[in-house]
């Protein structure tokens, strides 16, 4: 009886295992069939891009006041005096007419001058440790037409380095232009897909998938040596041409081929 009882349990386990195996095989066949069905859809993938050019409506400028002296406290004091002159001139309603929201300090550093030039060596000696104090301010404003005047004013007031100048777009204008660029990108993608399928003797079906890439807005940089700015400030006004800024959007779409 014990042997028959054990055999019954073994037989039951075999039946259950067999049923589980059949269910697993059926499930795998169903999933595979579904995947095969999706993969059998003929698709054409195309990428379209749209670019909109526009005049910038914002400008960002960085100025630095640099002072060097063996006495670090004297260097700090002189740097503060020059920077105060620069800030006062830029905020003066009759000169720069910039608000506190348009001007801000971005960095302040004190470091040793490891490789002094001949002028510093002649002024302070060969073996004297010289310190450099740098104070950088950033200007961001919509006064595009006053860029040249702002640069000249800062240089004349004491700024001895123009680090960067870049023209950009405001967030509102960027969003508007991006929408326009997306429309162009979609139309280009659809046109390319229709042209290719027609050349193949096929028809273009519905959209199967769409991927929208992030748009980018490369700023327009204006690079010029700070000494050139200084010479211009002593003579005529510094000429600045902002040019145009581009906003680009890309769309990748998959269309069914009929």
């Amino acid at each position: 009886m014990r042997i028959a009882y054990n055999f019954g349990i073994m037989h039951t386990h075999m039946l259950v295992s067999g049923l589980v195996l059949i269910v697993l095989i059926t499930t795998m066949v169903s999933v595979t069939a579904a995947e095969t069905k999706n993969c059998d859809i003929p698709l054409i993938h195309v990428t379209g891009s749209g670019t909109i050019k526009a005049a910038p409506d914002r400008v960002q400028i960085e100025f630095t006041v640099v002072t060097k002296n063996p006495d670090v406290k004297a260097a700090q004091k002189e740097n503060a005096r020059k920077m105060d002159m620069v800030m006062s001139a830029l905020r003066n309603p009759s000169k720069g007419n910039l608000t506190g929201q348009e001007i801000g300090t971005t960095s302040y550093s004190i470091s040793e001058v490891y490789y002094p030039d001949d002028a510093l060596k002649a002024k302070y000696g060969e073996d004297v440790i010289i310190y450099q104090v740098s104070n950088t301010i950033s200007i961001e404003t919509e006064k595009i037409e006053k860029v040249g005047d702002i640069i000249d004013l800062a240089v004349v007031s004491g700024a001895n380095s123009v680090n960067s100048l870049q023209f950009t777009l405001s967030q509102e204008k960027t969003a508007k232009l991006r929408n326009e660029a997306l429309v162009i990108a979609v139309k280009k993608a659809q046109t390319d897909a229709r042209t290719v399928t027609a050349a193949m003797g096929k028809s273009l079906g519905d959209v199967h998938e769409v991927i929208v890439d992030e748009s980018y807005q490369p700023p327009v940089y204006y690079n010029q040596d700070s000494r050139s700015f200084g010479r211009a400030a002593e003579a005529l006004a510094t000429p600045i041409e902002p040019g145009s800024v581009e906003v680009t959007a890309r769309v990748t779409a998959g269309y069914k081929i009929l």
Side-chain angles (χ1 to χ4, degrees), residues 72-91:
V72 66
K73 291 185 178 180
Q76 286 181 287
K77 185 177 180 179
E78 178 65 12
N79 188 277
R81 184 187 68 81
K82 289 183 178 180
M83 181 55 73
D84 184 63
M85 291 178 59
V86 172
M87 298 286 278
S88 297
L90 292 174
R91 290 175 176 172

PDB file of all heavy atoms in Angstrom, residues 72-91:
ATOM      1  N   VAL A  72      49.066  92.270  -0.326  1.00  0.00           N
ATOM      2  CA  VAL A  72      47.751  91.762  -0.703  1.00  0.00           C
ATOM      3  C   VAL A  72      46.633  92.699  -0.250  1.00  0.00           C
ATOM      4  O   VAL A  72      45.620  92.854  -0.946  1.00  0.00           O
ATOM      5  CB  VAL A  72      47.546  90.338  -0.136  1.00  0.00           C
ATOM      6  CG1 VAL A  72      47.497  90.351   1.383  1.00  0.00           C
ATOM      7  CG2 VAL A  72      46.279  89.715  -0.708  1.00  0.00           C
ATOM      8  N   LYS A  73      46.799  93.337   0.904  1.00  0.00           N
ATOM      9  CA  LYS A  73      45.777  94.263   1.373  1.00  0.00           C
ATOM     10  C   LYS A  73      45.698  95.492   0.472  1.00  0.00           C
ATOM     11  O   LYS A  73      44.605  95.997   0.190  1.00  0.00           O
ATOM     12  CB  LYS A  73      46.056  94.682   2.816  1.00  0.00           C
ATOM     13  CG  LYS A  73      45.854  93.550   3.818  1.00  0.00           C
ATOM     14  CD  LYS A  73      46.025  94.047   5.248  1.00  0.00           C
ATOM     15  CE  LYS A  73      45.771  92.919   6.249  1.00  0.00           C
ATOM     16  NZ  LYS A  73      45.937  93.388   7.653  1.00  0.00           N
ATOM     17  N   ALA A  74      46.847  95.951   0.009  1.00  0.00           N
ATOM     18  CA  ALA A  74      46.857  97.090  -0.904  1.00  0.00           C
ATOM     19  C   ALA A  74      46.200  96.718  -2.233  1.00  0.00           C
ATOM     20  O   ALA A  74      45.483  97.522  -2.837  1.00  0.00           O
ATOM     21  CB  ALA A  74      48.293  97.553  -1.138  1.00  0.00           C
ATOM     22  N   ALA A  75      46.443  95.483  -2.691  1.00  0.00           N
ATOM     23  CA  ALA A  75      45.827  95.012  -3.927  1.00  0.00           C
ATOM     24  C   ALA A  75      44.313  94.934  -3.773  1.00  0.00           C
ATOM     25  O   ALA A  75      43.556  95.317  -4.682  1.00  0.00           O
ATOM     26  CB  ALA A  75      46.388  93.646  -4.312  1.00  0.00           C
ATOM     27  N   GLN A  76      43.848  94.460  -2.623  1.00  0.00           N
ATOM     28  CA  GLN A  76      42.411  94.381  -2.368  1.00  0.00           C
ATOM     29  C   GLN A  76      41.772  95.776  -2.337  1.00  0.00           C
ATOM     30  O   GLN A  76      40.698  95.987  -2.892  1.00  0.00           O
ATOM     31  CB  GLN A  76      42.149  93.673  -1.036  1.00  0.00           C
ATOM     32  CG  GLN A  76      42.363  92.174  -1.069  1.00  0.00           C
ATOM     33  CD  GLN A  76      42.064  91.536   0.278  1.00  0.00           C
ATOM     34  OE1 GLN A  76      42.832  91.684   1.224  1.00  0.00           O
ATOM     35  NE2 GLN A  76      40.932  90.843   0.361  1.00  0.00           N
ATOM     36  N   LYS A  77      42.464  96.698  -1.678  1.00  0.00           N
ATOM     37  CA  LYS A  77      41.933  98.047  -1.557  1.00  0.00           C
ATOM     38  C   LYS A  77      41.850  98.723  -2.925  1.00  0.00           C
ATOM     39  O   LYS A  77      40.840  99.372  -3.249  1.00  0.00           O
ATOM     40  CB  LYS A  77      42.822  98.866  -0.615  1.00  0.00           C
ATOM     41  CG  LYS A  77      42.289 100.257  -0.331  1.00  0.00           C
ATOM     42  CD  LYS A  77      43.178 100.985   0.673  1.00  0.00           C
ATOM     43  CE  LYS A  77      42.654 102.374   0.967  1.00  0.00           C
ATOM     44  NZ  LYS A  77      43.504 103.095   1.968  1.00  0.00           N
ATOM     45  N   GLU A  78      42.895  98.579  -3.725  1.00  0.00           N
ATOM     46  CA  GLU A  78      42.894  99.181  -5.061  1.00  0.00           C
ATOM     47  C   GLU A  78      41.844  98.535  -5.956  1.00  0.00           C
ATOM     48  O   GLU A  78      41.170  99.206  -6.742  1.00  0.00           O
ATOM     49  CB  GLU A  78      44.288  99.025  -5.692  1.00  0.00           C
ATOM     50  CG  GLU A  78      44.415  99.576  -7.109  1.00  0.00           C
ATOM     51  CD  GLU A  78      44.236 101.080  -7.185  1.00  0.00           C
ATOM     52  OE1 GLU A  78      44.237 101.747  -6.124  1.00  0.00           O
ATOM     53  OE2 GLU A  78      44.100 101.587  -8.308  1.00  0.00           O
ATOM     54  N   ASN A  79      41.687  97.215  -5.824  1.00  0.00           N
ATOM     55  CA  ASN A  79      40.700  96.517  -6.629  1.00  0.00           C
ATOM     56  C   ASN A  79      39.289  96.977  -6.277  1.00  0.00           C
ATOM     57  O   ASN A  79      38.446  97.181  -7.161  1.00  0.00           O
ATOM     58  CB  ASN A  79      40.833  95.010  -6.419  1.00  0.00           C
ATOM     59  CG  ASN A  79      39.977  94.202  -7.368  1.00  0.00           C
ATOM     60  OD1 ASN A  79      38.790  94.008  -7.131  1.00  0.00           O
ATOM     61  ND2 ASN A  79      40.570  93.729  -8.453  1.00  0.00           N
ATOM     62  N   ALA A  80      39.034  97.125  -4.980  1.00  0.00           N
ATOM     63  CA  ALA A  80      37.713  97.570  -4.531  1.00  0.00           C
ATOM     64  C   ALA A  80      37.415  98.978  -5.036  1.00  0.00           C
ATOM     65  O   ALA A  80      36.275  99.287  -5.421  1.00  0.00           O
ATOM     66  CB  ALA A  80      37.633  97.523  -3.007  1.00  0.00           C
ATOM     67  N   ARG A  81      38.436  99.838  -5.031  1.00  0.00           N
ATOM     68  CA  ARG A  81      38.242 101.216  -5.502  1.00  0.00           C
ATOM     69  C   ARG A  81      37.879 101.226  -6.988  1.00  0.00           C
ATOM     70  O   ARG A  81      36.939 101.922  -7.408  1.00  0.00           O
ATOM     71  CB  ARG A  81      39.523 102.025  -5.265  1.00  0.00           C
ATOM     72  CG  ARG A  81      39.401 103.510  -5.623  1.00  0.00           C
ATOM     73  CD  ARG A  81      40.735 104.207  -5.533  1.00  0.00           C
ATOM     74  NE  ARG A  81      41.653 103.752  -6.574  1.00  0.00           N
ATOM     75  CZ  ARG A  81      41.643 104.191  -7.847  1.00  0.00           C
ATOM     76  NH1 ARG A  81      40.740 105.099  -8.215  1.00  0.00           N
ATOM     77  NH2 ARG A  81      42.511 103.735  -8.710  1.00  0.00           N
ATOM     78  N   LYS A  82      38.608 100.450  -7.797  1.00  0.00           N
ATOM     79  CA  LYS A  82      38.338 100.411  -9.238  1.00  0.00           C
ATOM     80  C   LYS A  82      36.971  99.796  -9.533  1.00  0.00           C
ATOM     81  O   LYS A  82      36.225 100.283 -10.389  1.00  0.00           O
ATOM     82  CB  LYS A  82      39.430  99.621  -9.952  1.00  0.00           C
ATOM     83  CG  LYS A  82      40.772 100.329 -10.015  1.00  0.00           C
ATOM     84  CD  LYS A  82      41.780  99.499 -10.797  1.00  0.00           C
ATOM     85  CE  LYS A  82      43.106 100.219 -10.916  1.00  0.00           C
ATOM     86  NZ  LYS A  82      44.103  99.411 -11.696  1.00  0.00           N
ATOM     87  N   MET A  83      36.653  98.704  -8.822  1.00  0.00           N
ATOM     88  CA  MET A  83      35.367  98.060  -9.061  1.00  0.00           C
ATOM     89  C   MET A  83      34.216  98.967  -8.669  1.00  0.00           C
ATOM     90  O   MET A  83      33.166  98.984  -9.334  1.00  0.00           O
ATOM     91  CB  MET A  83      35.290  96.738  -8.288  1.00  0.00           C
ATOM     92  CG  MET A  83      33.980  95.977  -8.496  1.00  0.00           C
ATOM     93  SD  MET A  83      33.610  95.649 -10.245  1.00  0.00           S
ATOM     94  CE  MET A  83      34.818  94.379 -10.603  1.00  0.00           C
ATOM     95  N   ASP A  84      34.384  99.736  -7.602  1.00  0.00           N
ATOM     96  CA  ASP A  84      33.345 100.672  -7.194  1.00  0.00           C
ATOM     97  C   ASP A  84      33.121 101.724  -8.271  1.00  0.00           C
ATOM     98  O   ASP A  84      31.977 102.128  -8.538  1.00  0.00           O
ATOM     99  CB  ASP A  84      33.741 101.340  -5.871  1.00  0.00           C
ATOM    100  CG  ASP A  84      32.646 102.266  -5.353  1.00  0.00           C
ATOM    101  OD1 ASP A  84      31.544 101.774  -5.062  1.00  0.00           O
ATOM    102  OD2 ASP A  84      32.901 103.481  -5.266  1.00  0.00           O
ATOM    103  N   MET A  85      34.193 102.163  -8.913  1.00  0.00           N
ATOM    104  CA  MET A  85      34.073 103.129 -10.002  1.00  0.00           C
ATOM    105  C   MET A  85      33.321 102.521 -11.186  1.00  0.00           C
ATOM    106  O   MET A  85      32.474 103.173 -11.813  1.00  0.00           O
ATOM    107  CB  MET A  85      35.462 103.605 -10.440  1.00  0.00           C
ATOM    108  CG  MET A  85      36.183 104.469  -9.418  1.00  0.00           C
ATOM    109  SD  MET A  85      37.853 104.958  -9.971  1.00  0.00           S
ATOM    110  CE  MET A  85      37.465 105.833 -11.484  1.00  0.00           C
ATOM    111  N   VAL A  86      33.636 101.272 -11.510  1.00  0.00           N
ATOM    112  CA  VAL A  86      32.973 100.599 -12.627  1.00  0.00           C
ATOM    113  C   VAL A  86      31.484 100.439 -12.347  1.00  0.00           C
ATOM    114  O   VAL A  86      30.628 100.756 -13.188  1.00  0.00           O
ATOM    115  CB  VAL A  86      33.621  99.221 -12.900  1.00  0.00           C
ATOM    116  CG1 VAL A  86      32.808  98.448 -13.941  1.00  0.00           C
ATOM    117  CG2 VAL A  86      35.053  99.387 -13.375  1.00  0.00           C
ATOM    118  N   MET A  87      31.156  99.940 -11.156  1.00  0.00           N
ATOM    119  CA  MET A  87      29.758  99.709 -10.799  1.00  0.00           C
ATOM    120  C   MET A  87      28.978 101.022 -10.750  1.00  0.00           C
ATOM    121  O   MET A  87      27.824 101.084 -11.208  1.00  0.00           O
ATOM    122  CB  MET A  87      29.681  98.996  -9.451  1.00  0.00           C
ATOM    123  CG  MET A  87      30.320  97.622  -9.426  1.00  0.00           C
ATOM    124  SD  MET A  87      29.352  96.374 -10.286  1.00  0.00           S
ATOM    125  CE  MET A  87      28.167  95.945  -9.029  1.00  0.00           C
ATOM    126  N   SER A  88      29.590 102.050 -10.213  1.00  0.00           N
ATOM    127  CA  SER A  88      28.906 103.349 -10.105  1.00  0.00           C
ATOM    128  C   SER A  88      28.603 103.919 -11.486  1.00  0.00           C
ATOM    129  O   SER A  88      27.514 104.462 -11.726  1.00  0.00           O
ATOM    130  CB  SER A  88      29.763 104.338  -9.309  1.00  0.00           C
ATOM    131  OG  SER A  88      29.943 103.888  -7.984  1.00  0.00           O
ATOM    132  N   ALA A  89      29.569 103.788 -12.392  1.00  0.00           N
ATOM    133  CA  ALA A  89      29.372 104.302 -13.748  1.00  0.00           C
ATOM    134  C   ALA A  89      28.282 103.531 -14.480  1.00  0.00           C
ATOM    135  O   ALA A  89      27.446 104.112 -15.178  1.00  0.00           O
ATOM    136  CB  ALA A  89      30.678 104.234 -14.524  1.00  0.00           C
ATOM    137  N   LEU A  90      28.267 102.209 -14.313  1.00  0.00           N
ATOM    138  CA  LEU A  90      27.271 101.394 -15.005  1.00  0.00           C
ATOM    139  C   LEU A  90      25.864 101.624 -14.461  1.00  0.00           C
ATOM    140  O   LEU A  90      24.877 101.524 -15.199  1.00  0.00           O
ATOM    141  CB  LEU A  90      27.628  99.908 -14.878  1.00  0.00           C
ATOM    142  CG  LEU A  90      28.888  99.458 -15.619  1.00  0.00           C
ATOM    143  CD1 LEU A  90      29.209  98.005 -15.285  1.00  0.00           C
ATOM    144  CD2 LEU A  90      28.718  99.611 -17.135  1.00  0.00           C
ATOM    145  N   ARG A  91      25.760 101.964 -13.168  1.00  0.00           N
ATOM    146  CA  ARG A  91      24.448 102.191 -12.564  1.00  0.00           C
ATOM    147  C   ARG A  91      23.996 103.644 -12.670  1.00  0.00           C
ATOM    148  O   ARG A  91      22.821 103.939 -12.434  1.00  0.00           O
ATOM    149  CB  ARG A  91      24.484 101.773 -11.091  1.00  0.00           C
ATOM    150  CG  ARG A  91      24.594 100.272 -10.879  1.00  0.00           C
ATOM    151  CD  ARG A  91      24.744  99.946  -9.408  1.00  0.00           C
ATOM    152  NE  ARG A  91      24.750  98.497  -9.176  1.00  0.00           N
ATOM    153  CZ  ARG A  91      25.016  97.930  -8.018  1.00  0.00           C
ATOM    154  NH1 ARG A  91      25.314  98.683  -6.957  1.00  0.00           N
ATOM    155  NH2 ARG A  91      25.000  96.616  -7.890  1.00  0.00           N
TER     156      ARG A  91
END
